Amino acid sequence: MLSGVLRAGLIQLRVLDYRTVDFYDNILGLQRVGETEDGRIMFKGYDEFHHHSVVLRKAESPGLDYVAYKVDSPETLERLKDETEKWGFPCTEIPANSDNPGYGKRYSFVIPTGHTIQMFAEVEMAERHPQIENPYPWEEAPKGMRAQLFDHLLLYGPNVHETERYFCEVWKMYAPEVVKLSDGKHFGAWLSCGMKAHDLAIIEYDRPNSLHHVAFRLEDWGDIGHAADLLAFHDLRLDVGPTRHSITRGKTIYFWEPSGNRIETFAGGYEAYPDHPQRYWDMDHVPRGIFYYERYLVDSFMNVVT
Ligand SMILES: [Fe+2]
């Protein structure tokens, strides 16, 4: 049932300072993989096999450089590159082992929301990967918030309807859940390439290329409470939660890392199947859709992006 696109596998974020690097390392609890030649810092979750999955680039302002999705074979990669160009999005090739050690060739293109999306088929296995033979749940005790892996992200930008159409028709993703405007167009879409409720979410917003949040998976509700304790202890700014979404049903907490990128740590959510009916929301019910307990949307959640 998988579409050929497997998951979000690599993300590069802009951060301001060393305090933020320390956040990803010791508070969020990712494993530090190393540094690239030009000084970007590579991380991964303890439950990930990829060489690395999160790259931090020091810059003047926070935000998203790109997100890259893994596809199931070099053949799929070439086919999707051809179909993407035919769809009208020119692709740029990023050679293997160039800016990201351990990564095969990637193709990069821009979607109508203004974001840079990439796809790749090959990546080396991480040195510290989940155990394979008679495995323990982990090799070393997870630290900080015990983030297991980079899971998904929410992009804010214009042309959500057209962007959703690309991902559904070319990547063969499907949208288990959407928010509909009165004209039937989609204001927001949660897109899946497998059985997760979403691997990518997009919401209509005036400013192109905006990042709403990057989400890391935690094991359970207990770990979300632990994450809340840690972010209070470290004086990080809470946005919303701990709470539950109605959309996807994930349990969640939102906060800002020291550079101002919004992070979600979440657990749970329903299993999605492409033959299930699409769940949909009208605009009046969106507050309950997003925050099941509170039933209102705080301004910051709607309007603060990087
Ligand atoms: Fe999310």
Side-chain angles (χ1 to χ4, degrees):
M1 66 162 282
L2 292 169
S3 68
V5 180
L6 301 177
R7 62 182 162 270
L10 175 68
I11 187 168
Q12 180 163 304
L13 294 166
R14 297 189 300 275
V15 299
L16 306 180
D17 52 24
Y18 189 79
R19 190 176 159 228
T20 310
V21 176
D22 185 63
F23 159 79
Y24 284 89
D25 194 345
N26 293 311
I27 303 178
L28 187 58
L30 299 181
Q31 295 176 334
R32 193 165 171 152
V33 174
E35 269 189 41
T36 61
E37 277 175 10
D38 60 356
R40 289 168 295 128
I41 299 160
M42 300 177 281
F43 285 100
K44 65 178 279 293
Y46 75 83
D47 214 16
E48 290 177 311
F49 288 95
H50 291 190
H51 182 273
H52 60 277
S53 60
V54 176
V55 181
L56 304 181
R57 178 171 77 82
K58 270 207 189 154
E60 295 296 307
S61 61
L64 172 71
D65 280 341
Y66 58 80
V67 60
Y69 281 74
K70 185 163 195 299
V71 306
D72 63 5
S73 69
E75 295 72 37
T76 301
L77 182 65
E78 296 306 322
R79 176 176 59 77
L80 288 178
K81 181 242 181 192
D82 289 346
E83 290 177 13
T84 298
E85 294 207 309
K86 237 179 262 163
W87 191 266
F89 307 157
C91 294
T92 309
E93 182 178 329
I94 302 165
N97 279 308
S98 51
D99 62 333
N100 274 288
Y103 271 79
K105 167 170 66 173
R106 311 194 314 276
Y107 287 117
S108 182
F109 57 97
V110 177
I111 53 173
T113 52
H115 301 86
T116 298
I117 303 290
Q118 298 179 356
M119 44 195 180
F120 65 95
E122 293 172 312
V123 57
E124 282 171 23
M125 182 130 79
E127 222 167 275
R128 283 187 289 171
H129 58 74
Q131 293 185 345
I132 296 167
E133 192 179 343
N134 306 316
Y136 287 89
W138 29 258
E139 188 156 299
E140 53 194 82
K143 63 187 177 183
M145 294 180 179
R146 305 192 276 258
Q148 295 178 314
L149 46 83
F150 161 47
D151 186 85
H152 68 267
L153 72 176
L154 168 55
L155 306 176
Y156 266 30
N159 308 310
V160 159
H161 205 79
E162 294 88 307
T163 303
E164 180 189 342
R165 226 162 55 81
Y166 165 78
F167 283 118
C168 291
E169 295 196 20
V170 179
W171 280 24
K172 306 293 182 206
M173 293 173 98
Y174 66 103
E177 209 142 344
V178 297
V179 174
K180 285 184 185 178
L181 295 163
S182 51
D183 65 4
K185 279 198 163 187
H186 293 172
F187 177 78
W190 284 256
L191 296 161
S192 176
C193 42
M195 286 174 57
K196 283 156 56 181
H198 62 326
D199 294 281
L200 172 67
I202 42 177
I203 284 183
E204 190 72 31
Y205 191 66
D206 289 344
R207 202 184 88 186
N209 196 18
S210 300
L211 173 66
H212 187 273
H213 70 262
V214 182
F216 294 87
R217 194 192 304 162
L218 305 185
E219 190 155 281
D220 53 28
W221 187 234
D223 272 1
I224 292 175
H226 176 62
D229 286 341
L230 282 181
L231 74 92
F233 181 74
H234 290 285
D235 286 327
L236 292 163
R237 194 152 75 90
L238 176 72
D239 190 11
V240 188
T243 183
R244 182 202 275 278
H245 298 298
S246 299
I247 297 172
T248 76
R249 271 191 235 141
K251 296 153 190 151
T252 182
I253 181 167
Y254 290 95
F255 58 95
W256 287 277
E257 41 92 303
S259 290
N261 292 304
R262 187 189 282 97
I263 300 291
E264 176 184 25
T265 48
F266 85 103
Y270 57 71
E271 280 181 4
Y273 287 93
D275 67 325
H276 284 171
Q278 184 176 66
R279 297 164 163 99
Y280 59 92
W281 297 80
D282 58 47
M283 291 300 279
D284 291 343
H285 290 84
V286 163
R288 175 165 64 82
I290 307 244
F291 296 121
Y292 177 49
Y293 301 154
E294 296 84 352
R295 302 192 177 204
Y296 66 88
L297 293 168
V298 292
D299 276 353
S300 59
F301 190 81
M302 300 312 290
N303 296 310
V304 177
V305 293
T306 52

